[in-house]
Amino acid sequence: MTAEETESLSGTLSGPAPGDPESPAGGGERPSAGRTAARRSLQRREELSKWGFLLPALIFMALFFGYPIVKNVTMSFQEYTTSTFYTGQAPWVGLSNYVSVLTSSVFSTAMLNTFLFTVGSIAGQFTIGLALAVFFKRRFPLNGVMRSLILLPWLLPMIVSSAIWKWMLDKDSGVVNQLLQAVSLPAVPWLTSTSVALIAVIIVNIWLGIPFNMTILYSGLQDIPDELYEAASLDGAVGWKAFRYVTWPLLKPVVSVVLVLGVVYTLKVLDIILGLTGGGPSNATQTLATQSYKLSFANFEFGQGAALGNVLVLVSVVFAVVYLRLSRSGEES
C-alpha cells in the first residue's frame, strides 16, 4: 500500500475534524447555542411550575380575602339595605355612611371602650402568658400535663366560654358572687353595672387569651440556648438580670408577633361581648366591632356597618405598621 493510500484511509476512519465546517456538530458555535436554548427552556418550565403551584393559592386569596374586602369597601359608599338583596339597587351615597357613623353619639363611646378593652386585655394576657411561659421553661413533674390543661380555654368555642362565664358572673346565682359572699364580701353586679361590665368583659378575654400568649412565648423561650444563661451566670447575671439581659433581648422578635396578632385579634373581638353583655348596659361595653355588627345585622344598615368595619380595619393596619416600624428602628439602634 502506497503512502497516499495510507493517508486517505486514515482520514476516512478518523472523520472530519471537530472544527471542520463539515463536522456533524456544525462548527464551534452550534453546541453553545443549543445549550443556551435548552437552558432557557428549562428556566421557562421552572417558572411555569412555580406559578402553577402559586396559582391555586392566589385564586383562593382573591376569592375569599380580596373579594370580601373590595365588596365591603364598595358597600360603605352605597345605601345598602335589605331591599338591595331583592332589587339589586344600591344607590351611591359617597361618604355619607362614614359621616353618619363618625358623628354618631355611640362612636366616641365605642372608640374609648375599644381602646380600654384592647389595652386591658393585651396587658393582662401578655403579662400572665409571659410569666407562665418562664415558669414552664423549668423542668418539673407534670409540666406537660399542666401546660395542656392551660390550653383548654383556647380550645373551647368562644360562644361556649362566654355562656359559661355569663352564668359564673350572674349577680344572684353566679359562682363568683357566691364565693365573695362566702368570705363576707358583697355581691358585684358584674354584667349589669355600667362601671363594672367592661372590667368583667376584659377579665374574660384575658382568661381566653392567656393560652395563646403562653404557647407562642414558650416556643420562643425554647429557642434560647442554655449556654447563654450559663455564660451570663459567670458574670453574675442570674434571676431578674438574666431575664433582662438574655431572655428579653432574644425574645423581642417573638414578642412583636404576639403583640401585633394579639391587638389585631382583640380589636375585632365580637362573640365574647355579645355573649356576655350584648354591648350593654347602656353601651358600657359597646366597641367598634359590636357596633358594626349592630348596624349591619340589627338595624340592617349594611352600608354604615361596612363603613365602621373599614374604620376598624384601618385602625388595625395603622397600629401594626407603626408598631413594627418602631420595633425595627429599636433593633437597628
Side-chain angles (χ1 to χ4, degrees), residues 92-214:
W92 192 266
V93 294
L95 297 175
S96 176
N97 289 326
Y98 288 93
V99 173
S100 298
V101 298
L102 293 178
T103 57
S104 171
S105 59
V106 183
F107 178 77
S108 57
T109 302
M111 194 72 178
L112 178 61
N113 289 341
T114 301
F115 174 79
L116 296 175
F117 177 74
T118 303
V119 172
S121 297
I122 294 302
Q125 293 173 0
F126 180 80
T127 303
I128 300 175
L130 179 59
L132 289 174
V134 174
F135 173 75
F136 282 115
K137 192 176 186 298
R138 303 177 180 179
R139 293 185 177 89
F140 58 88
L142 300 179
N143 184 307
V145 175
M146 293 180 64
R147 280 191 288 115
S148 301
L149 292 175
I150 291 178
L151 288 176
L152 288 178
W154 194 28
L155 301 177
L156 289 174
M158 289 190 181
I159 196 65
V160 174
S161 299
S162 61
I164 295 173
W165 274 97
K166 188 174 184 178
W167 166 75
M168 292 175 60
L169 296 175
D170 185 79
K171 181 180 179 181
D172 299 322
S173 60
V175 63
V176 175
N177 279 336
Q178 290 182 4
L179 290 175
L180 291 176
Q181 292 174 350
V183 294
S184 301
L185 292 175
V188 178
W190 295 102
L191 303 178
T192 56
S193 171
T194 55
S195 58
V196 181
L198 185 61
I199 298 175
V201 173
I202 291 174
I203 292 173
V204 175
N205 195 51
I206 289 174
W207 178 78
L208 289 170
I210 288 174
F212 171 78
N213 285 261
M214 186 202 72

Side-chain angles (χ1 to χ4, degrees), residues 102 107 111 114-115 118 263-264 267-268 288 308-323:
L102 293 178
F107 178 77
M111 194 72 178
T114 301
F115 174 79
T118 303
V263 169
V264 172
L267 284 173
K268 65 182 185 64
L288 294 179
L308 193 56
N310 290 332
V311 172
L312 186 59
V313 171
L314 182 61
V315 171
S316 303
V317 172
V318 168
F319 167 80
V321 171
V322 171
Y323 179 80

Side-chain angles (χ1 to χ4, degrees), residues 9-310:
L9 179 60
S10 175
T12 303
L13 293 175
S14 61
D20 195 291
E22 297 179 2
S23 172
E29 297 180 357
R30 292 188 180 180
S32 177
R35 285 194 296 270
T36 302
R39 191 180 300 111
R40 289 177 180 175
S41 177
L42 179 61
Q43 291 177 351
R44 191 178 298 111
R45 286 197 297 268
E46 289 179 352
E47 290 294 328
L48 291 175
S49 299
K50 292 177 182 178
W51 282 106
F53 284 108
L54 287 174
L55 191 60
L58 293 176
I59 294 175
F60 178 85
M61 293 285 290
L63 289 177
F64 296 99
F65 291 91
Y67 175 76
I69 292 175
V70 173
K71 183 64 176 178
N72 196 70
V73 173
T74 304
M75 288 174 59
S76 67
F77 296 104
Q78 296 174 317
E79 187 180 351
Y80 210 100
T81 61
T82 52
S83 62
T84 305
F85 293 99
Y86 300 98
T87 63
Q89 301 296 323
W92 192 266
V93 294
L95 297 175
S96 176
N97 289 326
Y98 288 93
V99 173
S100 298
V101 298
L102 293 178
T103 57
S104 171
S105 59
V106 183
F107 178 77
S108 57
T109 302
M111 194 72 178
L112 178 61
N113 289 341
T114 301
F115 174 79
L116 296 175
F117 177 74
T118 303
V119 172
S121 297
I122 294 302
Q125 293 173 0
F126 180 80
T127 303
I128 300 175
L130 179 59
L132 289 174
V134 174
F135 173 75
F136 282 115
K137 192 176 186 298
R138 303 177 180 179
R139 293 185 177 89
F140 58 88
L142 300 179
N143 184 307
V145 175
M146 293 180 64
R147 280 191 288 115
S148 301
L149 292 175
I150 291 178
L151 288 176
L152 288 178
W154 194 28
L155 301 177
L156 289 174
M158 289 190 181
I159 196 65
V160 174
S161 299
S162 61
I164 295 173
W165 274 97
K166 188 174 184 178
W167 166 75
M168 292 175 60
L169 296 175
D170 185 79
K171 181 180 179 181
D172 299 322
S173 60
V175 63
V176 175
N177 279 336
Q178 290 182 4
L179 290 175
L180 291 176
Q181 292 174 350
V183 294
S184 301
L185 292 175
V188 178
W190 295 102
L191 303 178
T192 56
S193 171
T194 55
S195 58
V196 181
L198 185 61
I199 298 175
V201 173
I202 291 174
I203 292 173
V204 175
N205 195 51
I206 289 174
W207 178 78
L208 289 170
I210 288 174
F212 171 78
N213 285 261
M214 186 202 72
T215 302
I216 304 300
L217 294 172
Y218 178 80
S219 300
L221 290 175
Q222 293 297 103
D223 292 334
I224 301 177
D226 294 333
E227 291 79 5
L228 295 179
Y229 292 103
E230 295 174 0
S233 64
L234 297 177
D235 297 330
V238 294
W240 167 249
K241 289 184 177 180
F243 177 84
R244 179 181 178 183
Y245 295 107
V246 179
T247 304
W248 184 252
L250 296 177
L251 199 62
K252 277 186 177 180
V254 180
V255 170
S256 298
V257 174
V258 170
L259 291 180
V260 170
L261 292 179
V263 169
V264 172
Y265 174 79
T266 305
L267 284 173
K268 65 182 185 64
V269 166
L270 176 67
D271 36 12
I272 297 174
I273 300 176
L274 290 180
L276 288 172
T277 63
S282 300
N283 295 321
T285 58
Q286 197 78 263
T287 63
L288 294 179
T290 57
Q291 180 64 10
S292 177
Y293 174 86
K294 181 180 179 181
L295 289 171
S296 296
F297 301 104
N299 301 342
F300 301 110
E301 295 288 347
F302 297 103
Q304 294 184 19
L308 193 56
N310 290 332

